[in-house]
Amino acid sequence: MTLCLAFAGASHAASPGESPWVRETYSKVRLVSGSVAGMSGDRMIAGVQIRLEPGWKTYWRMPGDSGVPPSFDWSGSKNLRSAEVLYPAPRRFTDASGTEIGYVDEVVFPVMVTPERPDEPVELKLNVDYGLCKTLCIPNQANLSIELPAHTAGKADDPLLKRFVDLVPRPAETGKLPALGGIEAKLDSTKPELVIDANFADDATGTDLFVEAPGGAFVPVPKPLGPVQDGKQRFVVSFASPEEAAAIRGKPLTLTFVSDEGAREASVTVE
């Protein structure tokens, strides 16, 4: 059952580079900005910071068996060419109702901002929708705004933004872990499945794997077939029917390998 509770409180004055906190149900949210080393060109960086009350969780871009992914509407912004939201590596939560994928305590979604006119500030305006779950699930919505000054490159790193940028999975790279070890597609079986081997660092902890298909096609959450041993772990994606499995045939799947030592994304197509 989804229960909608709406109460939002006014916030205290914000520091430079931060919007005021907006209080929502069992959470609060704001925009932050700063500088992170390694950025190139005219891009700026901001972040959508969500702080959750104890016991509550919010969702990744692929929420799992249930839940609602966050959505970000920047249409009211000024001098904004594009805003690319990045997703820190999530974790799984499993209970009697299934498996969900997301975050607890706090998450910052980094936002790579490209202005229309680089020599002018960007006025970011965001309408954000995000779901919370504990024993019940609650939708939340907030309107936020912040001004990003022009020419922020070269300033000292913002520790909060850097911490969550470092948690964003990096593209797969030859010789770098975690990585795809192998994949076996059994899509024509009466019990169709994908068997995926993952390679992690030998001492890796917090290992996991998540799989996404383009266009919102549903992919069951992978299940580990045992703990990581000598840096190797096997996962299985079990489809409910041949029709469900056929929906991902020939499509590029995004595999996100997660560990406490880092996370990476790989793309594969199965036939």
Side-chain angles (χ1 to χ4, degrees):
M1 177 181 69
T2 299
L3 175 64
C4 181
L5 302 178
F7 65 90
S11 304
H12 298 293
S15 301
E18 303 169 351
S19 73
W21 284 107
V22 173
R23 295 191 177 275
E24 293 293 328
T25 311
Y26 302 112
S27 65
K28 58 183 180 179
V29 57
R30 68 177 177 176
L31 286 171
V32 297
S33 65
S35 181
V36 173
M39 293 180 57
S40 60
D42 298 320
R43 293 197 302 175
M44 306 171 176
I45 188 166
V48 183
Q49 182 180 11
I50 302 175
R51 189 167 289 171
L52 310 172
E53 291 190 10
W56 290 86
K57 57 182 175 286
T58 192
Y59 296 99
W60 192 45
R61 63 186 181 226
M62 195 276 283
D65 295 332
S66 61
V68 179
S71 67
F72 306 91
D73 179 3
W74 307 96
S75 59
S77 301
K78 296 180 180 179
N79 192 31
L80 177 66
R81 176 175 294 176
S82 65
E84 179 190 2
V85 178
L86 307 180
Y87 290 79
R91 55 174 289 189
R92 74 169 65 204
F93 309 94
T94 302
D95 56 27
S97 62
T99 299
E100 298 168 325
I101 304 170
Y103 312 93
V104 295
D105 299 329
E106 179 179 62
V107 62
V108 176
F109 297 101
V111 185
M112 307 306 297
V113 176
T114 302
E116 288 281 2
R117 298 173 298 281
D119 291 334
E120 298 178 17
V122 174
E123 184 179 348
L124 279 184
K125 288 186 178 294
L126 171 62
N127 184 304
V128 58
D129 290 273
Y130 61 99
L132 296 182
C133 261
K134 191 176 182 182
T135 54
L136 51 82
C137 294
I138 300 171
N140 279 276
Q141 183 274 334
N143 293 301
L144 309 168
S145 64
I146 193 173
E147 183 174 292
L148 307 184
H151 306 300
T152 58
K155 293 185 178 180
D157 281 356
D158 181 283
L160 176 69
L161 283 171
K162 185 178 188 312
R163 177 160 64 94
F164 282 92
V165 167
D166 288 346
L167 293 175
V168 174
R170 300 187 179 193
E173 186 177 347
T174 302
K176 301 292 186 179
L177 297 175
L180 174 64
I183 184 168
E184 182 181 5
K186 303 177 182 179
L187 301 184
D188 294 323
S189 171
T190 55
K191 295 182 178 180
E193 62 184 17
L194 296 176
V195 179
I196 302 169
D197 290 313
N199 294 333
F200 298 95
D202 288 343
D203 56 352
T205 57
T207 58
D208 215 333
L209 168 67
F210 307 111
V211 181
E212 302 165 85
F218 177 72
V219 181
V221 181
K223 294 181 180 179
L225 295 179
V228 60
Q229 293 184 337
D230 299 323
K232 301 183 183 301
Q233 191 170 20
R234 176 166 286 185
F235 297 84
V236 61
V237 178
S238 299
F239 295 94
S241 67
E243 291 75 21
E244 187 177 80
I248 61 103
R249 188 187 297 273
K251 296 181 178 179
L253 304 179
T254 299
L255 277 56
T256 301
F257 301 93
V258 174
S259 77
D260 292 338
E261 286 70 33
R264 290 190 180 269
E265 290 182 352
S267 180
V268 298
T269 300
V270 296
E271 300 292 345

Short mmCIF file of all heavy atoms in Angstrom, two decimals, residues 36-70:
data_model
loop_
_atom_site.label_atom_id
_atom_site.label_comp_id
_atom_site.label_asym_id
_atom_site.label_seq_id
_atom_site.Cartn_x
_atom_site.Cartn_y
_atom_site.Cartn_z
N VAL A 36 35.23 19.79 -7.98
CA VAL A 36 35.86 18.48 -7.85
C VAL A 36 36.95 18.38 -8.90
O VAL A 36 36.72 18.69 -10.08
CB VAL A 36 34.84 17.33 -8.03
CG1 VAL A 36 35.55 15.98 -8.05
CG2 VAL A 36 33.81 17.36 -6.90
N ALA A 37 38.14 17.98 -8.49
CA ALA A 37 39.28 17.90 -9.39
C ALA A 37 39.00 16.95 -10.54
O ALA A 37 38.27 15.97 -10.40
CB ALA A 37 40.52 17.45 -8.62
N GLY A 38 39.58 17.24 -11.70
CA GLY A 38 39.45 16.37 -12.85
C GLY A 38 38.36 16.76 -13.81
O GLY A 38 38.25 16.18 -14.89
N MET A 39 37.53 17.74 -13.46
CA MET A 39 36.50 18.19 -14.37
C MET A 39 37.15 18.99 -15.49
O MET A 39 38.13 19.69 -15.29
CB MET A 39 35.47 19.04 -13.63
CG MET A 39 34.64 18.26 -12.65
SD MET A 39 33.44 19.31 -11.81
CE MET A 39 32.54 19.96 -13.22
N SER A 40 36.58 18.88 -16.69
CA SER A 40 37.17 19.53 -17.84
C SER A 40 36.16 20.43 -18.53
O SER A 40 34.95 20.33 -18.32
CB SER A 40 37.67 18.47 -18.83
OG SER A 40 36.61 17.64 -19.26
N GLY A 41 36.67 21.31 -19.38
CA GLY A 41 35.80 22.16 -20.18
C GLY A 41 35.04 23.15 -19.32
O GLY A 41 35.52 23.65 -18.30
N ASP A 42 33.83 23.42 -19.76
CA ASP A 42 33.01 24.44 -19.10
C ASP A 42 32.01 23.84 -18.11
O ASP A 42 31.11 24.52 -17.64
CB ASP A 42 32.24 25.25 -20.15
CG ASP A 42 33.17 26.00 -21.08
OD1 ASP A 42 34.18 26.54 -20.58
OD2 ASP A 42 32.90 26.03 -22.29
N ARG A 43 32.15 22.57 -17.79
CA ARG A 43 31.18 21.94 -16.91
C ARG A 43 31.33 22.40 -15.46
O ARG A 43 32.44 22.70 -15.00
CB ARG A 43 31.28 20.42 -17.00
CG ARG A 43 30.86 19.87 -18.35
CD ARG A 43 30.57 18.40 -18.29
NE ARG A 43 31.72 17.62 -17.83
CZ ARG A 43 31.67 16.31 -17.60
NH1 ARG A 43 30.55 15.64 -17.79
NH2 ARG A 43 32.75 15.67 -17.19
N MET A 44 30.21 22.43 -14.76
CA MET A 44 30.16 22.70 -13.33
C MET A 44 29.62 21.45 -12.64
O MET A 44 29.15 20.52 -13.30
CB MET A 44 29.24 23.89 -13.05
CG MET A 44 29.57 25.16 -13.82
SD MET A 44 28.25 26.39 -13.61
CE MET A 44 28.95 27.78 -14.50
N ILE A 45 29.67 21.44 -11.32
CA ILE A 45 29.12 20.30 -10.60
C ILE A 45 28.23 20.77 -9.46
O ILE A 45 28.52 21.75 -8.77
CB ILE A 45 30.23 19.36 -10.08
CG1 ILE A 45 29.62 18.07 -9.51
CG2 ILE A 45 31.12 20.06 -9.05
CD1 ILE A 45 30.61 16.96 -9.29
N ALA A 46 27.12 20.09 -9.32
CA ALA A 46 26.20 20.29 -8.21
C ALA A 46 25.83 18.91 -7.66
O ALA A 46 26.33 17.89 -8.13
CB ALA A 46 24.95 21.05 -8.67
N GLY A 47 24.96 18.89 -6.68
CA GLY A 47 24.53 17.62 -6.12
C GLY A 47 23.15 17.74 -5.50
O GLY A 47 22.80 18.80 -4.95
N VAL A 48 22.38 16.67 -5.60
CA VAL A 48 21.08 16.59 -4.93
C VAL A 48 21.28 15.73 -3.69
O VAL A 48 21.51 14.53 -3.79
CB VAL A 48 20.01 15.96 -5.85
CG1 VAL A 48 18.65 15.95 -5.15
CG2 VAL A 48 19.93 16.70 -7.18
N GLN A 49 21.23 16.37 -2.53
CA GLN A 49 21.52 15.69 -1.26
C GLN A 49 20.21 15.33 -0.57
O GLN A 49 19.39 16.20 -0.29
CB GLN A 49 22.37 16.58 -0.37
CG GLN A 49 22.77 15.93 0.96
CD GLN A 49 23.62 16.86 1.82
OE1 GLN A 49 23.74 18.04 1.53
NE2 GLN A 49 24.19 16.31 2.88
N ILE A 50 20.04 14.04 -0.30
CA ILE A 50 18.86 13.55 0.42
C ILE A 50 19.33 12.91 1.72
O ILE A 50 20.16 11.99 1.70
CB ILE A 50 18.05 12.53 -0.40
CG1 ILE A 50 17.61 13.16 -1.73
CG2 ILE A 50 16.84 12.03 0.38
CD1 ILE A 50 16.91 12.17 -2.66
N ARG A 51 18.81 13.38 2.83
CA ARG A 51 19.16 12.82 4.14
C ARG A 51 17.91 12.16 4.71
O ARG A 51 16.84 12.77 4.79
CB ARG A 51 19.67 13.92 5.07
CG ARG A 51 20.25 13.41 6.37
CD ARG A 51 21.00 14.52 7.08
NE ARG A 51 22.24 14.86 6.39
CZ ARG A 51 23.00 15.91 6.69
NH1 ARG A 51 22.62 16.74 7.66
NH2 ARG A 51 24.12 16.15 6.03
N LEU A 52 18.04 10.90 5.09
CA LEU A 52 16.90 10.07 5.50
C LEU A 52 16.90 9.85 7.01
O LEU A 52 17.97 9.74 7.64
CB LEU A 52 16.96 8.70 4.81
CG LEU A 52 17.17 8.73 3.30
CD1 LEU A 52 17.41 7.32 2.79
CD2 LEU A 52 15.97 9.33 2.60
N GLU A 53 15.72 9.76 7.58
CA GLU A 53 15.62 9.38 8.98
C GLU A 53 15.95 7.89 9.14
O GLU A 53 15.83 7.11 8.19
CB GLU A 53 14.21 9.69 9.50
CG GLU A 53 13.94 11.18 9.58
CD GLU A 53 12.65 11.52 10.30
OE1 GLU A 53 12.05 10.61 10.91
OE2 GLU A 53 12.24 12.69 10.26
N PRO A 54 16.38 7.47 10.35
CA PRO A 54 16.79 6.08 10.55
C PRO A 54 15.71 5.08 10.15
O PRO A 54 14.53 5.27 10.45
CB PRO A 54 17.07 6.02 12.05
CG PRO A 54 17.44 7.42 12.42
CD PRO A 54 16.58 8.30 11.56
N GLY A 55 16.15 4.03 9.46
CA GLY A 55 15.24 2.95 9.07
C GLY A 55 14.60 3.12 7.71
O GLY A 55 13.99 2.18 7.19
N TRP A 56 14.72 4.31 7.12
CA TRP A 56 14.12 4.57 5.81
C TRP A 56 15.16 4.43 4.71
O TRP A 56 16.35 4.65 4.93
CB TRP A 56 13.50 5.97 5.78
CG TRP A 56 12.28 6.06 6.65
CD1 TRP A 56 12.25 6.33 7.98
CD2 TRP A 56 10.94 5.84 6.25
NE1 TRP A 56 10.96 6.30 8.44
CE2 TRP A 56 10.13 6.01 7.40
CE3 TRP A 56 10.31 5.54 5.04
CZ2 TRP A 56 8.75 5.87 7.36
CZ3 TRP A 56 8.94 5.40 4.99
CH2 TRP A 56 8.17 5.56 6.15
N LYS A 57 14.70 4.07 3.52
CA LYS A 57 15.58 3.95 2.36
C LYS A 57 14.94 4.64 1.17
O LYS A 57 13.72 4.79 1.09
CB LYS A 57 15.86 2.48 2.04
CG LYS A 57 14.63 1.63 1.78
CD LYS A 57 15.03 0.19 1.52
CE LYS A 57 13.80 -0.72 1.37
NZ LYS A 57 13.14 -0.98 2.66
N THR A 58 15.80 5.05 0.23
CA THR A 58 15.33 5.58 -1.04
C THR A 58 16.00 4.80 -2.16
O THR A 58 16.85 3.95 -1.90
CB THR A 58 15.58 7.09 -1.14
OG1 THR A 58 14.86 7.63 -2.25
CG2 THR A 58 17.06 7.42 -1.29
N TYR A 59 15.69 5.11 -3.42
CA TYR A 59 15.96 4.16 -4.50
C TYR A 59 17.00 4.64 -5.50
O TYR A 59 17.18 5.83 -5.75
CB TYR A 59 14.65 3.83 -5.23
CG TYR A 59 13.67 3.13 -4.33
CD1 TYR A 59 12.64 3.84 -3.72
CD2 TYR A 59 13.81 1.79 -4.04
CE1 TYR A 59 11.76 3.20 -2.87
CE2 TYR A 59 12.93 1.15 -3.18
CZ TYR A 59 11.90 1.87 -2.60
OH TYR A 59 11.04 1.24 -1.75
N TRP A 60 17.61 3.64 -6.11
CA TRP A 60 18.52 3.79 -7.25
C TRP A 60 17.69 4.00 -8.51
O TRP A 60 16.47 3.96 -8.49
CB TRP A 60 19.37 2.52 -7.35
CG TRP A 60 20.56 2.56 -8.26
CD1 TRP A 60 21.49 3.56 -8.37
CD2 TRP A 60 20.95 1.53 -9.17
NE1 TRP A 60 22.45 3.20 -9.29
CE2 TRP A 60 22.15 1.97 -9.80
CE3 TRP A 60 20.43 0.28 -9.51
CZ2 TRP A 60 22.82 1.20 -10.75
CZ3 TRP A 60 21.09 -0.49 -10.45
CH2 TRP A 60 22.28 -0.03 -11.07
N ARG A 61 18.37 4.21 -9.63
CA ARG A 61 17.66 4.42 -10.91
C ARG A 61 16.89 3.18 -11.33
O ARG A 61 15.91 3.26 -12.07
CB ARG A 61 18.65 4.83 -12.00
CG ARG A 61 19.68 3.77 -12.32
CD ARG A 61 20.72 4.26 -13.30
NE ARG A 61 21.67 3.19 -13.59
CZ ARG A 61 22.98 3.35 -13.62
NH1 ARG A 61 23.51 4.54 -13.36
NH2 ARG A 61 23.78 2.33 -13.90
N MET A 62 17.34 1.98 -10.91
CA MET A 62 16.59 0.74 -11.09
C MET A 62 16.27 0.23 -9.69
O MET A 62 17.14 -0.26 -8.99
CB MET A 62 17.39 -0.28 -11.89
CG MET A 62 16.55 -1.44 -12.44
SD MET A 62 16.30 -2.77 -11.26
CE MET A 62 17.90 -3.59 -11.34
N PRO A 63 15.01 0.37 -9.24
CA PRO A 63 14.71 0.17 -7.82
C PRO A 63 14.62 -1.28 -7.37
O PRO A 63 14.54 -1.53 -6.18
CB PRO A 63 13.36 0.87 -7.65
CG PRO A 63 12.72 0.77 -8.99
CD PRO A 63 13.84 0.87 -9.99
N GLY A 64 14.61 -2.24 -8.31
CA GLY A 64 14.48 -3.64 -7.92
C GLY A 64 13.08 -4.14 -8.11
O GLY A 64 12.37 -3.76 -9.05
N ASP A 65 12.64 -5.04 -7.22
CA ASP A 65 11.33 -5.67 -7.36
C ASP A 65 10.18 -4.70 -7.11
O ASP A 65 9.06 -4.94 -7.54
CB ASP A 65 11.21 -6.86 -6.40
CG ASP A 65 12.19 -7.98 -6.75
OD1 ASP A 65 12.54 -8.11 -7.93
OD2 ASP A 65 12.61 -8.71 -5.83
N SER A 66 10.44 -3.62 -6.39
CA SER A 66 9.40 -2.62 -6.12
C SER A 66 10.09 -1.29 -5.87
O SER A 66 11.30 -1.17 -5.98
CB SER A 66 8.55 -3.03 -4.91
OG SER A 66 9.35 -3.12 -3.74
N GLY A 67 9.31 -0.27 -5.56
CA GLY A 67 9.90 1.04 -5.32
C GLY A 67 9.83 1.91 -6.56
O GLY A 67 9.47 1.47 -7.65
N VAL A 68 10.21 3.17 -6.38
CA VAL A 68 10.12 4.17 -7.43
C VAL A 68 11.48 4.86 -7.57
O VAL A 68 12.01 5.38 -6.59
CB VAL A 68 9.04 5.22 -7.11
CG1 VAL A 68 8.97 6.27 -8.20
CG2 VAL A 68 7.68 4.55 -6.92
N PRO A 69 12.06 4.88 -8.77
CA PRO A 69 13.33 5.59 -8.94
C PRO A 69 13.13 7.09 -8.84
O PRO A 69 12.03 7.60 -9.09
CB PRO A 69 13.77 5.18 -10.35
CG PRO A 69 12.49 4.89 -11.07
CD PRO A 69 11.57 4.29 -10.03
N PRO A 70 14.16 7.84 -8.48
CA PRO A 70 14.02 9.29 -8.42
C PRO A 70 13.88 9.88 -9.82
O PRO A 70 14.35 9.31 -10.80
CB PRO A 70 15.33 9.75 -7.76
CG PRO A 70 16.31 8.67 -8.10
CD PRO A 70 15.52 7.39 -8.12
#
